[in-house]
Structures are given as structure tokens and as C-alpha cells.
Amino acid sequence: MKAITKNICKLVLLLFITSLNAQETIDAENPNNFVTGGGQESQSFTLYVLPVSIIDIEGFTGFNSGINDGVLEAGLPVSGGTSDLSNIWLNYTFRGENGDGAEIFVSTNMPVPNGVRIEVQIDRNDYGNAGDFDKTAEIKKIRLSESESRIVKDFGNGYTGDGQGNGYHVIYTISNPNGVSFPAGFEIIYRIGN
């Protein structure tokens, strides 16, 4: 019985020593061992990027005199006055969800006064040089009203660059032969959507 116990102890000791010698050791001084040594695993993951829609009108201070044009930024309504409608630019930044495209719509926040006609059009011959965007504007003039009209058709992710001279050059034509005043709070609204 002593011989069997002695042989079992030798066998256990031998297995223990063998298992100690079989374990992998990592030299912490060598960073390559962390990449190629040890039990390597991989884990997949999904990264969700939130959509972004920002739109801005540059060079436009509206229709009423005395407006503070320092508050014009993407996301705020356009209101107020100007006499120069020749240097207005539509800028945007857009990243859709799952590669979805978008369009840009224009409307007013209240009825255009009787006797007044406001038309807007993208100048198809004058796009800014900055950014990375589709030049997919509508060709026709759009008569503004409270109903939204599409001014830029289906486009994908992109950005126009910021400021005057970038993006879409917007041309306004206003007919107001009787000099009708615009009501307080009258605004032209641009919206990115589907």
C-alpha cells in the first residue's frame, strides 16, 4: 500500500511540475508579447452616430429696418430688415441616420401680406467652393407662403462651409408695389427634413 501511495504522490508531483512548465509566461518588458502572446479574444461592437441637421442663412437681416443681425445663427428664425438681397447664402451641415438623405424646405411663419409677393430661388450658377455637398437645388422660383416648399431636393451627408460665399446662393425677388408693411414677427423659415 505504501508503494501505491508513493507512486500516486510521484505521479501527482510530476503532473504538477509538468503543468507549471506548460504555462505560458509573458515578458512584460516586451510589448509585442501582449499582442501575440496569451489567450487572445476579440469582441465586436456597434457604434451609433447621432444624426445632425444644422442650417444657417448668411448675409440676411430680413425686411424690417433696425434689426440686430448679430443674432442670426443656424437654428434661429430669420426676421428683420435689409435693403440688399443680393448676397444671401444658405449653409448647412447634415449627417443622416443610416445614410438617409434629406431635403431643405422654405416657408413663412404667417401669411404673406396681401399685395406682396416674395419669391426665392437658388442661383444654379453660383455655389460656394467650400464644403462637400450635393448641388441639388430646385431650378424654379418658389413663391413663399405658410406652406412649405422644397428648395433643395434629396441630398446625402455633407456640409457647405460657413459664411457668405459658401453653400447655396439664395436670390430673393420681392414685389410690394403698394409699400405694405410686414407684420411684427414675420419670418422666413428654412428647415432640413424629409
Side-chain angles (χ1 to χ4, degrees):
M1 179 80 157
K2 270 185 162 182
I4 294 175
T5 306
K6 189 176 179 183
N7 285 335
I8 290 176
C9 286
K10 284 182 183 178
L11 182 60
V12 169
L13 185 59
L14 180 63
L15 288 175
F16 180 70
I17 292 172
T18 304
S19 66
L20 285 178
N21 289 333
Q23 286 186 354
E24 184 173 352
T25 58
I26 297 176
D27 178 7
E29 300 285 325
N30 185 353
N32 289 330
N33 286 335
F34 295 108
V35 176
T36 59
Q40 296 181 12
E41 295 181 20
S42 64
Q43 179 67 39
S44 62
F45 69 95
T46 303
L47 176 66
Y48 292 99
V49 180
L50 296 176
V52 175
S53 297
I54 304 172
I55 195 163
D56 197 3
I57 292 290
E58 296 288 344
F60 184 60
T61 55
F63 298 110
N64 300 322
S65 61
I67 192 71
N68 177 4
D69 61 1
V71 298
L72 294 176
E73 277 304 322
L76 298 178
V78 178
S79 62
T82 186
S83 57
D84 181 12
L85 298 173
S86 64
N87 197 25
I88 301 168
W89 293 82
L90 177 65
N91 302 154
Y92 75 83
T93 301
F94 177 76
R95 179 178 62 217
E97 189 171 9
N98 299 322
D100 293 343
E103 298 177 323
I104 298 177
F105 299 91
V106 62
S107 64
T108 61
N109 68 327
M110 60 181 68
V112 176
N114 289 331
V116 177
R117 182 181 181 109
I118 306 172
E119 294 176 322
V120 63
Q121 181 179 20
I122 301 291
D123 185 349
R124 296 287 302 259
N125 298 313
D126 192 5
Y127 294 103
N129 296 322
D132 178 17
F133 65 104
D134 297 330
K135 295 163 178 71
T136 56
E138 295 287 355
I139 296 173
K140 63 182 186 220
K141 282 186 178 183
I142 297 168
R143 185 174 181 177
L144 293 181
S145 69
E146 287 180 285
S147 299
E148 286 188 324
S149 296
R150 181 178 68 184
I151 192 164
V152 180
K153 49 189 166 181
D154 189 37
F155 60 87
N157 296 343
Y159 63 98
T160 59
D162 183 41
Q164 292 179 314
N166 291 314
Y168 296 104
H169 184 202
V170 180
I171 300 170
Y172 281 92
T173 306
I174 301 174
S175 174
N176 187 1
N178 298 323
V180 175
S181 294
F182 287 90
F186 182 84
E187 299 169 352
I188 297 174
I189 300 168
Y190 289 84
R191 179 183 72 84
I192 295 178
N194 296 329

